[in-house]
Amino acid sequence: MAKLFFSAILKAAFALSTILIVINGQDQSDFISVDCGASESYTDPNTGIKYSTDANYIDTGENKNISPQFNIRNIAEQFKNVRAFPDGVKNCYTLKPSKGKNHTYLIRARFMYGNYDAQSQYPEFDLYLGVNKWRTVKLEDSNNSRTFEIIHVPQSDYIYVCLVKTGPWTPLISALELRLMNNDTYVTQSGSLELYTRLDCGASSSASVRYKDDVMDRIWRPFNFDAWNIIKGSLTFQPNFYDPPAVVMSTAVAPRNESDSVGLYWTTDNEEPEDFYIYLHFAELEKHEKNETRELNIYLNGTLFYGPLVPDYMSVTTIYSTKPRRGSTLEVMVNRTENSTLPPLLNAIEIYTVKYLENSETAQNDVDAIMYVKSTYKLQKNWQGDPCAPHDYMWEGLNCSFNGFDPPRIISLNLSSNGLTGEIDPYISNLTLIEDLDLSNNNLSGPVPDFLSQMPSLRVLNLERNNFSGTLPIGLQEKSKNKSISLRADGNSYLCISIPCQKEKNKNKFLIPVVASGGGILVFLSAAGAIFWFLKRRKRDKTVTTLNVEPKSNQHDEVLDLKKQQFTYSEVLSITNNFARILGKGGFGTVYHGFFNDSEVAVKMLSRSSAQGYKQFRAEAKLLTRVHHRNLTALVGYCDEGPNMGLVYEYMSNGDLAWHLSEKNEDLLSWEERLKIAINAAQGLEYLHSGCKPPIIHRDVKTTNILLNEKLQAKLSDFGLSRTFPLEGDTHVSTIVVGTPGYVDPEYFISNRLTEKSDVFSFGVVLLEIITGRPAISKKNGKDHIIEWVKLWLSKGDIKNVMDPRLEQDFNKNSVWKAAEVAMACVSHVSTKRPTMTQIVTELKQCLVMETDRSRTNNSDVIESIELIEMMPVNMDSGPLAR
């Protein structure tokens, strides 16, 4: 039996939430309603929904009206016209929901052929949600419509709904609708929920119920059997989070024979079994006499699903599974218990099948860059939907890399002969993994930008036959000379593409004034002298701002340009008030508190006896000069004066995360604060892994290396063990194992092979500490690791005993379950099964949304929850856990 939640919500709490939902729904601010093929916007007279044309959502296709014979009186306005796509294989609508990513949305696509082309050729094509196939659309006649609906949490700010041509037929669409849902409803372990059926039991009308009766615009179909009695009640209801419409809940069905059951049976269309989620809505509609009782047991495929349940009078109770049921048939039976004097009833039911959307979308930075390029150059290409995926429908002129868990990346861009004008768009440089760039045969002009020489992966660059001018950047010339890049730039009449050409131009610049006027020689010599003095001074100044980070005995000293404030040792003494206040000590040395320019700083001084500390000083100094992120501690300056070496950082007034999670700290962090800290730290690691070129592995992620400022913003610190890893070839490096016991990746420990997934493992341990409030290794016997402890409780389906007891259950359970799933995925023994930091950030942000939504609701009153859990062992390595 799956773990179930039954929530009885008090009136005051739901009164406020219902008012907010109704107001939000009635103004349709979170609706996107598109009448595909319509010539103008309008308000539907039956529903009051405001529909717009699709002009702002797609730039391909043709508007068509259905044949007059099918444009009958009672047809919905949206089915009177279609948008057809005779050209192109993939045509996509781009939706931008108001709340952006990581929120729950209902997406509905509707289709009716209507013989718009007078061919009576019933079309068949594929419908895609983003980069994943949603389903095949097959319209088998002219006058019947098909509606497909899915509840989905997007991972980017844009949602693509695409029609893909799979045969001789022309794809079409009638309407496209998007609705914002409550984040605490319709939560899955994984995947999205495709609607299988949604039924209004005992409906008094043959018409479907939707907006405005349903503020989320779910469509409820009437459902009755002659063998059932219909029970009716008033329209005054106390709703719950699922908020089924009052008109739906005001009717119910019950068996005519009181000893019978309310039974429903379905068989899937697919031969293969599917995963189901089921939601049953109950409300008592009749006032009972003192000796009357209605008590129910609910069975799913012959197994007790929930019970006993006593429905509350005129108050909604929703029974739902948080774990999918797998099968090709589904039987729901609602029986009365032995204690019940009244027959069972059922008001409404929803059933969804799980749609596993496994393909990854292209990395968002690449999408933003290529879309900006498309807009800047007004490209007429059929570039719609995701650039790289699915692989078979990749944009023309692109090539992408596909690498396991990581999102696809653009590695090749061919814009040859596309009529490009103006200068080279700087957004091209944001395509950081691009290897081959072809801009030939266009009308591009202006100088060739130097950023092309700084693109780390670029190996082939074709600039032939354009109108570039000036001198080819030195960086590109040098890369071409050493054959690290294949450069072609012929056919640009005003472009100097070689160093001799540059020297010749410089020679002419100086010869002309000398020859032109003998009296100008003195002026020329004076100018030359001034330039010489300036360059010499500039060189001298530059040497002052460098730091020798190798021992003096090394003849191959590496010079590191910190570009930060350089302090003398006497200035450090002044900053720290002669090292008066110690903040902490480590293998590197001692950290002191200080003031610089009226701001607090932390000064880390290298111990003279620490040989390893010197190496860490050098590594940390090098790294902090090239990384800058709001979730990494910032370097203010450094001291390098003989044996006195130190680094000056911004001061983090709230210390480290380990202290805040310890029992010694009386100021307890709330679950919301913990999630924000986890997200901050994850974003810092994400930047090291994905935002740095080459990427960086921290190698010592732990709670003591996560520091908090006065606003509890978390920042990663202590980069002394950090290492870069290659962009190409091997995805790992051989290294001596370093790190802190309890946090070290077991795969790295055994193989000495380091990857960014080693940081992911360490972060997973940190996340478990955030959830439980326990240290990585128990201090009582020094043997119990937090992973095994958490795994034991989760195998019993028990999240309460996993969560830090000091929080006293003041948290959203779904949020905690999801965070626990993320943490356990991070600490998988097999590194390939661990998510990327980008995926982790996305999941944790969704956890935070759940918690903040709960906090807003709980401000008005108390919510009581009853939880029924079956103790079933869970294989922690097999995938997400039940919630």
Side-chain angles (χ1 to χ4, degrees):
M1 182 173 61
K3 182 167 72 76
L4 306 175
F5 288 93
F6 157 61
S7 298
I9 310 301
L10 297 182
K11 292 184 178 181
F14 271 122
L16 177 60
S17 63
T18 304
I19 291 171
L20 293 175
I21 291 171
V22 170
I23 292 173
N24 190 45
Q26 287 180 343
D27 66 16
Q28 303 182 38
S29 60
D30 294 315
F31 281 19
I32 295 178
S33 307
V34 183
D35 185 338
C36 306
S39 58
E40 60 183 6
S41 300
Y42 63 91
T43 298
D44 189 290
N46 296 316
T47 64
I49 297 175
K50 301 172 184 176
Y51 283 88
S52 67
T53 69
D54 54 10
N56 294 326
Y57 301 97
I58 197 166
D59 51 15
T60 57
E62 301 173 355
N63 291 352
K64 300 289 185 178
N65 294 323
I66 65 172
S67 296
Q69 67 193 87
F70 300 110
N71 192 349
I72 55 181
R73 186 173 184 178
N74 62 348
I75 189 174
E77 192 72 24
Q78 298 79 54
F79 294 127
K80 295 180 179 180
N81 40 256
V82 302
R83 183 89 159 191
F85 300 93
D87 300 320
V89 175
K90 182 179 76 169
N91 292 272
C92 299
Y93 284 82
T94 301
L95 307 180
K96 191 177 188 306
S98 59
K99 298 295 184 182
K101 60 186 177 182
N102 300 324
H103 283 76
T104 303
Y105 298 96
L106 181 153
I107 305 167
R108 184 186 297 129
R110 314 193 76 184
F111 307 87
M112 179 174 160
Y113 172 47
N115 199 23
Y116 76 91
D117 55 2
Q119 299 296 315
S120 296
Q121 297 291 323
Y122 308 127
E124 180 178 340
F125 51 90
D126 284 343
L127 176 65
Y128 273 73
L129 180 60
V131 300
N132 291 276
K133 182 179 175 180
W134 180 351
R135 70 158 49 234
T136 295
V137 179
K138 189 173 184 179
L139 303 178
E140 298 178 336
D141 53 36
S142 294
N143 60 339
N144 287 321
S145 64
R146 297 294 305 274
T147 298
F148 302 105
E149 185 179 299
I150 195 166
I151 295 176
H152 176 62
V153 180
Q155 304 304 304
S156 68
D157 290 331
Y158 294 91
I159 297 175
Y160 303 116
V161 178
C162 304
L163 310 177
V164 176
K165 188 173 184 178
T166 57
W169 309 280
T170 298
L172 62 89
I173 186 169
S174 301
L176 187 59
E177 300 166 343
L178 180 143
R179 310 291 185 245
L180 178 68
M181 311 292 283
N182 296 326
N183 275 335
D184 281 339
T185 60
Y186 305 107
V187 177
T188 68
Q189 287 185 346
S190 61
S192 299
L193 294 178
E194 184 176 24
L195 179 65
Y196 185 75
T197 191
R198 185 185 294 118
L199 302 177
D200 174 5
C201 299
S204 56
S205 169
S206 61
S208 297
V209 173
R210 60 179 300 185
Y211 188 83
K212 297 178 179 181
D213 291 307
D214 189 319
V215 293
M216 289 180 275
D217 194 30
R218 292 163 295 188
I219 299 177
W220 302 80
R221 292 195 300 112
F223 188 64
N224 289 311
F225 276 137
D226 291 338
W228 288 345
N229 285 330
I230 297 177
I231 304 174
K232 295 183 179 181
S234 73
L235 293 174
T236 304
F237 271 89
Q238 183 60 49
N240 63 1
F241 279 124
Y242 288 90
D243 199 20
V247 67
V248 170
M249 296 303 298
S250 66
T251 61
V253 293
R256 291 182 178 174
N257 185 338
E258 294 186 356
S259 62
D260 288 345
S261 304
V262 174
L264 303 97
Y265 181 86
W266 291 270
T267 302
T268 66
D269 296 332
N270 299 327
E271 296 180 359
E272 296 295 327
E274 295 189 76
D275 288 338
F276 288 91
Y277 280 81
I278 185 168
Y279 303 80
L280 299 110
H281 305 287
F282 297 91
E284 179 59 74
L285 304 178
E286 298 177 321
K287 288 189 175 181
H288 300 164
E289 301 296 334
K290 290 183 179 180
N291 60 341
E292 290 182 325
T293 303
R294 195 189 308 274
E295 189 177 74
L296 315 174
N297 279 330
I298 305 162
Y299 290 85
L300 186 60
N301 289 346
T303 303
L304 181 64
F305 184 61
Y306 190 92
L309 167 68
V310 178
D312 291 333
Y313 179 67
M314 302 308 290
S315 180
V316 178
T317 297
T318 296
I319 304 299
Y320 64 98
S321 57
T322 59
K323 212 176 165 185
R325 286 299 184 99
R326 188 162 184 81
S328 53
T329 61
L330 187 64
E331 181 185 61
V332 177
M333 301 292 291
V334 185
N335 298 341
R336 74 174 188 175
T337 68
E338 293 180 354
N339 298 326
S340 181
T341 63
L342 297 173
L345 60 70
L346 176 63
N347 303 70
I349 184 171
E350 297 176 80
I351 300 175
Y352 297 86
T353 58
V354 180
K355 202 71 179 180
Y356 295 104
L357 307 177
E358 298 175 347
N359 296 330
S360 297
E361 298 175 338
T362 303
Q364 191 62 50
N365 287 344
D366 284 8
V367 174
D368 292 341
I370 199 66
M371 291 300 290
Y372 197 92
V373 169
K374 176 186 177 182
S375 174
T376 298
Y377 292 124
K378 297 180 174 57
L379 293 172
Q380 299 302 312
K381 290 174 173 287
N382 184 17
W383 280 3
Q384 299 185 56
D386 190 273
C388 295
H391 185 278
D392 292 342
Y393 307 118
M394 193 183 305
W395 285 5
E396 178 188 357
L398 296 188
N399 195 15
C400 303
S401 64
F402 298 85
N403 182 22
F405 283 108
D406 298 329
R409 301 296 302 273
I410 298 173
I411 60 173
S412 175
L413 175 59
N414 184 352
L415 293 177
S416 178
S417 305
N418 272 271
L420 309 186
T421 60
E423 298 183 354
I424 296 180
D425 194 304
Y427 261 79
I428 287 178
S429 65
N430 288 355
L431 300 171
T432 53
L433 290 191
I434 197 164
E435 301 170 1
D436 189 333
L437 177 61
D438 190 347
L439 301 174
S440 63
N441 298 305
N442 287 296
N443 294 307
L444 294 169
S445 57
V448 176
D450 185 57
F451 65 69
L452 293 173
S453 66
Q454 300 171 16
M455 295 176 68
S457 303
L458 191 59
R459 300 291 178 267
V460 179
L461 176 61
N462 190 349
L463 304 174
E464 291 182 318
R465 292 177 290 282
N466 279 285
N467 296 314
F468 294 118
S469 58
T471 303
L472 200 64
I474 297 297
L476 281 178
Q477 295 184 44
E478 292 177 349
K479 283 191 170 185
S480 177
K481 185 177 180 180
N482 63 30
K483 297 184 179 179
S484 63
I485 190 170
S486 174
L487 174 65
R488 299 168 65 181
D490 294 336
N492 290 278
S493 303
Y494 305 103
L495 179 65
C496 175
I497 61 175
S498 65
I499 293 178
C501 168
Q502 182 181 1
K503 289 182 177 178
E504 186 67 25
K505 288 190 175 185
N506 291 339
K507 179 180 177 182
N508 291 339
K509 287 180 181 179
F510 287 107
L511 282 178
I512 290 173
V514 172
V515 173
S517 172
I521 292 176
L522 183 60
V523 176
F524 166 74
L525 291 176
S526 298
I531 292 171
F532 176 79
W533 177 86
F534 174 78
L535 292 176
K536 185 175 181 181
R537 173 66 179 271
R538 183 180 179 186
K539 181 177 181 182
R540 183 174 73 247
D541 290 345
K542 184 176 180 180
T543 60
V544 172
T545 61
T546 61
L547 170 66
N548 190 341
V549 296
E550 293 288 356
K552 302 301 182 182
S553 59
N554 189 341
Q555 295 181 356
H556 301 285
D557 288 350
E558 180 179 355
V559 177
L560 176 66
D561 184 3
L562 283 175
K563 298 181 180 177
K564 297 288 182 183
Q565 176 76 36
Q566 182 176 8
F567 298 104
T568 64
Y569 184 62
S570 62
E571 288 174 330
V572 171
L573 290 173
S574 175
I575 288 171
T576 60
N577 192 20
N578 293 318
F579 304 124
R581 177 183 169 190
I582 296 176
L583 296 176
K585 293 184 178 181
F588 177 96
T590 305
V591 183
Y592 301 90
H593 179 268
F595 284 90
F596 174 65
N597 287 345
D598 296 326
S599 296
E600 293 180 281
V601 294
V603 181
K604 182 191 290 188
M605 295 302 297
L606 171 64
S607 171
R608 301 184 186 184
S609 62
S610 175
Q612 181 63 28
Y614 180 85
K615 294 180 180 179
Q616 294 183 19
F617 174 93
R618 175 183 180 275
E620 191 159 13
K622 287 185 64 178
L623 185 143
L624 288 176
T625 60
R626 53 173 288 232
V627 300
H628 307 279
H629 191 271
R630 64 184 178 277
N631 296 125
L632 305 180
T633 50
L635 182 68
V636 176
Y638 67 96
C639 173
D640 180 29
E641 190 171 297
N644 302 307
M645 304 179 67
L647 298 174
V648 182
Y649 300 89
E650 66 176 323
Y651 176 65
M652 304 294 284
S653 60
N654 268 307
D656 61 46
L657 176 60
W659 162 256
H660 286 271
L661 295 176
S662 71
E663 294 179 352
K664 298 178 182 178
N665 178 31
E666 296 179 356
D667 296 325
L668 185 67
L669 291 172
S670 68
W671 177 233
E672 182 175 337
E673 288 171 331
R674 297 184 192 208
L675 280 174
K676 289 178 179 178
I677 290 169
I679 292 169
N680 288 162
Q683 289 176 156
L685 273 179
E686 180 190 31
Y687 171 75
L688 293 178
H689 292 178
S690 304
C692 296
K693 304 301 176 187
I696 295 168
I697 306 175
H698 188 282
R699 295 211 297 176
D700 199 19
V701 177
K702 55 185 178 181
T703 51
T704 54
N705 283 340
I706 297 173
L707 305 182
L708 308 177
N709 66 13
E710 70 279 4
K711 297 180 180 178
L712 290 181
Q713 180 186 6
K715 302 190 180 190
L716 287 178
S717 67
D718 201 344
F719 302 94
L721 299 180
S722 300
R723 292 290 182 271
T724 60
F725 62 99
L727 283 167
E728 300 179 321
D730 285 345
T731 59
H732 56 263
V733 294
S734 298
T735 180
I736 298 173
V737 175
V738 297
T740 301
Y743 298 86
V744 177
D745 173 12
E747 187 172 277
Y748 167 41
F749 184 83
I750 294 170
S751 66
N752 282 19
R753 313 294 279 185
L754 179 68
T755 74
E756 72 276 16
K757 295 299 179 67
S758 300
D759 277 352
V760 172
F761 180 91
S762 302
F763 180 81
V765 177
V766 169
L767 188 52
L768 289 177
E769 290 183 78
I770 290 173
I771 294 170
T772 64
R774 295 168 60 94
I777 298 177
S778 174
K779 296 179 180 179
K780 294 182 180 179
N781 54 30
K783 294 182 180 180
D784 291 341
H785 195 284
I786 193 172
I787 296 175
E788 300 305 319
W789 184 85
V790 172
K791 186 181 294 186
L792 174 64
W793 285 108
L794 292 184
S795 67
K796 300 177 181 180
D798 190 341
I799 197 63
K800 290 181 180 178
N801 280 319
V802 170
M803 196 63 181
D804 190 339
R806 293 173 294 173
L807 290 175
E808 299 179 343
Q809 300 185 38
D810 184 18
F811 47 77
N812 178 283
K813 292 185 178 64
N814 286 335
S815 173
V816 176
W817 267 105
K818 190 173 187 66
E821 291 174 6
V822 173
M824 296 307 294
C826 290
V827 297
S828 172
H829 281 282
V830 181
S831 61
T832 55
K833 292 184 178 180
R834 300 172 198 159
T836 64
M837 290 310 304
T838 299
Q839 293 169 323
I840 293 167
V841 170
T842 298
E843 295 296 315
L844 290 179
K845 285 182 178 179
Q846 191 171 344
C847 295
L848 180 60
V849 169
M850 294 178 187
E851 176 60 16
T852 53
D853 285 352
R854 178 198 71 92
S855 299
R856 285 194 293 269
T857 302
N858 283 0
N859 284 336
S860 58
D861 210 329
V862 181
I863 296 178
E864 296 179 351
S865 297
I866 301 172
E867 179 177 304
L868 176 64
I869 302 173
E870 181 184 23
M871 302 299 190
M872 292 184 63
V874 180
N875 182 356
M876 292 301 164
D877 290 329
S878 65
L881 309 174
R883 290 196 298 279

Short mmCIF file of all heavy atoms in Angstrom, two decimals, residues 804-830:
data_model
loop_
_atom_site.label_atom_id
_atom_site.label_comp_id
_atom_site.label_asym_id
_atom_site.label_seq_id
_atom_site.Cartn_x
_atom_site.Cartn_y
_atom_site.Cartn_z
N ASP A 804 15.50 17.26 11.48
CA ASP A 804 16.00 17.81 12.74
C ASP A 804 14.84 17.98 13.73
O ASP A 804 13.90 18.75 13.47
CB ASP A 804 16.66 19.16 12.47
CG ASP A 804 17.42 19.69 13.68
OD1 ASP A 804 17.12 19.27 14.80
OD2 ASP A 804 18.31 20.54 13.48
N PRO A 805 14.84 17.25 14.85
CA PRO A 805 13.70 17.31 15.78
C PRO A 805 13.50 18.69 16.39
O PRO A 805 12.39 19.00 16.84
CB PRO A 805 14.07 16.28 16.86
CG PRO A 805 15.56 16.14 16.78
CD PRO A 805 15.89 16.34 15.33
N ARG A 806 14.54 19.52 16.37
CA ARG A 806 14.40 20.85 16.95
C ARG A 806 13.44 21.73 16.16
O ARG A 806 12.95 22.75 16.65
CB ARG A 806 15.77 21.53 17.04
CG ARG A 806 16.72 20.86 18.04
CD ARG A 806 18.12 21.47 17.96
NE ARG A 806 18.74 21.20 16.68
CZ ARG A 806 19.91 21.74 16.29
NH1 ARG A 806 20.54 22.57 17.08
NH2 ARG A 806 20.42 21.44 15.10
N LEU A 807 13.16 21.36 14.90
CA LEU A 807 12.22 22.13 14.09
C LEU A 807 10.77 21.84 14.45
O LEU A 807 9.85 22.54 13.98
CB LEU A 807 12.44 21.84 12.60
CG LEU A 807 13.74 22.40 12.02
CD1 LEU A 807 13.91 21.94 10.58
CD2 LEU A 807 13.77 23.91 12.09
N GLU A 808 10.54 20.77 15.24
CA GLU A 808 9.21 20.44 15.74
C GLU A 808 8.17 20.36 14.62
O GLU A 808 7.05 20.85 14.73
CB GLU A 808 8.78 21.46 16.81
CG GLU A 808 9.69 21.48 18.02
CD GLU A 808 9.28 22.49 19.06
OE1 GLU A 808 8.47 23.41 18.71
OE2 GLU A 808 9.73 22.39 20.20
N GLN A 809 8.58 19.74 13.52
CA GLN A 809 7.70 19.48 12.37
C GLN A 809 7.15 20.75 11.73
O GLN A 809 6.12 20.71 11.06
CB GLN A 809 6.56 18.55 12.76
CG GLN A 809 7.04 17.20 13.27
CD GLN A 809 5.90 16.25 13.55
OE1 GLN A 809 4.93 16.21 12.81
NE2 GLN A 809 6.03 15.46 14.60
N ASP A 810 7.85 21.85 11.91
CA ASP A 810 7.43 23.11 11.29
C ASP A 810 8.04 23.21 9.91
O ASP A 810 8.99 23.95 9.67
CB ASP A 810 7.85 24.29 12.18
CG ASP A 810 7.34 25.62 11.62
OD1 ASP A 810 6.40 25.60 10.79
OD2 ASP A 810 7.88 26.67 12.00
N PHE A 811 7.51 22.43 8.97
CA PHE A 811 8.02 22.41 7.61
C PHE A 811 7.02 21.70 6.70
O PHE A 811 6.14 20.98 7.18
CB PHE A 811 9.38 21.70 7.53
CG PHE A 811 9.43 20.38 8.26
CD1 PHE A 811 8.85 19.24 7.72
CD2 PHE A 811 10.04 20.28 9.50
CE1 PHE A 811 8.90 18.02 8.38
CE2 PHE A 811 10.09 19.08 10.19
CZ PHE A 811 9.51 17.94 9.62
N ASN A 812 7.18 21.92 5.41
CA ASN A 812 6.38 21.24 4.41
C ASN A 812 6.99 19.86 4.16
O ASN A 812 8.15 19.76 3.75
CB ASN A 812 6.34 22.06 3.11
CG ASN A 812 5.56 21.37 2.02
OD1 ASN A 812 6.05 20.44 1.40
ND2 ASN A 812 4.37 21.84 1.75
N LYS A 813 6.24 18.80 4.42
CA LYS A 813 6.80 17.45 4.31
C LYS A 813 7.23 17.11 2.88
O LYS A 813 8.24 16.43 2.65
CB LYS A 813 5.78 16.42 4.80
CG LYS A 813 5.53 16.49 6.30
CD LYS A 813 4.61 15.36 6.74
CE LYS A 813 4.38 15.40 8.25
NZ LYS A 813 3.68 16.61 8.67
N ASN A 814 6.45 17.57 1.89
CA ASN A 814 6.85 17.31 0.51
C ASN A 814 8.18 17.97 0.18
O ASN A 814 9.01 17.41 -0.54
CB ASN A 814 5.77 17.82 -0.46
CG ASN A 814 4.55 16.94 -0.47
OD1 ASN A 814 4.63 15.75 -0.17
ND2 ASN A 814 3.40 17.51 -0.79
N SER A 815 8.37 19.16 0.71
CA SER A 815 9.63 19.87 0.50
C SER A 815 10.80 19.08 1.10
O SER A 815 11.85 18.93 0.47
CB SER A 815 9.55 21.27 1.13
OG SER A 815 10.79 21.92 1.07
N VAL A 816 10.60 18.56 2.31
CA VAL A 816 11.67 17.79 2.97
C VAL A 816 11.93 16.48 2.24
O VAL A 816 13.09 16.09 2.03
CB VAL A 816 11.30 17.52 4.45
CG1 VAL A 816 12.36 16.64 5.11
CG2 VAL A 816 11.17 18.83 5.20
N TRP A 817 10.86 15.81 1.83
CA TRP A 817 11.05 14.56 1.09
C TRP A 817 11.86 14.80 -0.18
O TRP A 817 12.77 14.04 -0.52
CB TRP A 817 9.69 13.95 0.74
CG TRP A 817 9.19 12.97 1.76
CD1 TRP A 817 8.21 13.15 2.67
CD2 TRP A 817 9.68 11.64 1.97
NE1 TRP A 817 8.06 12.04 3.45
CE2 TRP A 817 8.94 11.08 3.05
CE3 TRP A 817 10.67 10.88 1.37
CZ2 TRP A 817 9.17 9.79 3.51
CZ3 TRP A 817 10.90 9.57 1.85
CH2 TRP A 817 10.15 9.05 2.90
N LYS A 818 11.51 15.86 -0.90
CA LYS A 818 12.22 16.13 -2.15
C LYS A 818 13.69 16.44 -1.88
O LYS A 818 14.58 15.99 -2.61
CB LYS A 818 11.56 17.30 -2.88
CG LYS A 818 12.06 17.50 -4.31
CD LYS A 818 11.23 18.56 -5.02
CE LYS A 818 11.62 18.65 -6.49
NZ LYS A 818 11.28 17.43 -7.24
N ALA A 819 13.97 17.23 -0.83
CA ALA A 819 15.35 17.54 -0.48
C ALA A 819 16.11 16.28 -0.10
O ALA A 819 17.29 16.11 -0.46
CB ALA A 819 15.38 18.55 0.66
N ALA A 820 15.44 15.37 0.64
CA ALA A 820 16.08 14.11 1.00
C ALA A 820 16.39 13.27 -0.23
O ALA A 820 17.44 12.62 -0.32
CB ALA A 820 15.18 13.33 1.97
N GLU A 821 15.47 13.27 -1.20
CA GLU A 821 15.72 12.55 -2.45
C GLU A 821 16.94 13.10 -3.17
O GLU A 821 17.79 12.35 -3.67
CB GLU A 821 14.49 12.66 -3.35
CG GLU A 821 13.28 11.90 -2.86
CD GLU A 821 12.05 12.16 -3.72
OE1 GLU A 821 12.21 12.84 -4.75
OE2 GLU A 821 10.96 11.71 -3.38
N VAL A 822 17.02 14.42 -3.22
CA VAL A 822 18.17 15.05 -3.87
C VAL A 822 19.46 14.66 -3.16
O VAL A 822 20.45 14.29 -3.80
CB VAL A 822 18.02 16.59 -3.87
CG1 VAL A 822 19.28 17.26 -4.39
CG2 VAL A 822 16.83 17.00 -4.73
N ALA A 823 19.46 14.72 -1.83
CA ALA A 823 20.67 14.39 -1.06
C ALA A 823 21.09 12.94 -1.30
O ALA A 823 22.28 12.67 -1.50
CB ALA A 823 20.41 14.64 0.42
N MET A 824 20.12 12.02 -1.28
CA MET A 824 20.47 10.61 -1.46
C MET A 824 20.94 10.32 -2.89
O MET A 824 21.77 9.43 -3.11
CB MET A 824 19.28 9.72 -1.10
CG MET A 824 18.87 9.80 0.37
SD MET A 824 20.23 9.49 1.53
CE MET A 824 20.59 7.77 1.21
N ALA A 825 20.43 11.07 -3.85
CA ALA A 825 20.94 10.92 -5.22
C ALA A 825 22.38 11.42 -5.29
O ALA A 825 23.22 10.83 -5.99
CB ALA A 825 20.06 11.70 -6.19
N CYS A 826 22.69 12.48 -4.56
CA CYS A 826 24.06 13.04 -4.56
C CYS A 826 25.07 12.06 -4.00
O CYS A 826 26.22 12.01 -4.46
CB CYS A 826 24.11 14.33 -3.75
SG CYS A 826 23.24 15.73 -4.48
N VAL A 827 24.68 11.27 -2.99
CA VAL A 827 25.64 10.39 -2.31
C VAL A 827 25.59 8.97 -2.85
O VAL A 827 26.05 8.03 -2.19
CB VAL A 827 25.40 10.39 -0.78
CG1 VAL A 827 25.63 11.78 -0.21
CG2 VAL A 827 24.00 9.89 -0.43
N SER A 828 25.06 8.79 -4.04
CA SER A 828 25.09 7.48 -4.68
C SER A 828 26.55 7.02 -4.81
O SER A 828 27.45 7.80 -5.10
CB SER A 828 24.45 7.56 -6.07
OG SER A 828 24.65 6.35 -6.77
N HIS A 829 26.79 5.74 -4.59
CA HIS A 829 28.16 5.22 -4.66
C HIS A 829 28.70 5.28 -6.09
O HIS A 829 29.92 5.32 -6.29
CB HIS A 829 28.20 3.77 -4.15
CG HIS A 829 28.19 3.67 -2.65
ND1 HIS A 829 29.30 3.89 -1.89
CD2 HIS A 829 27.17 3.41 -1.79
CE1 HIS A 829 29.00 3.74 -0.60
NE2 HIS A 829 27.70 3.47 -0.50
N VAL A 830 27.81 5.27 -7.06
CA VAL A 830 28.24 5.35 -8.47
C VAL A 830 28.10 6.80 -8.92
O VAL A 830 27.01 7.35 -8.94
CB VAL A 830 27.38 4.43 -9.35
CG1 VAL A 830 27.84 4.50 -10.80
CG2 VAL A 830 27.43 3.00 -8.83
#
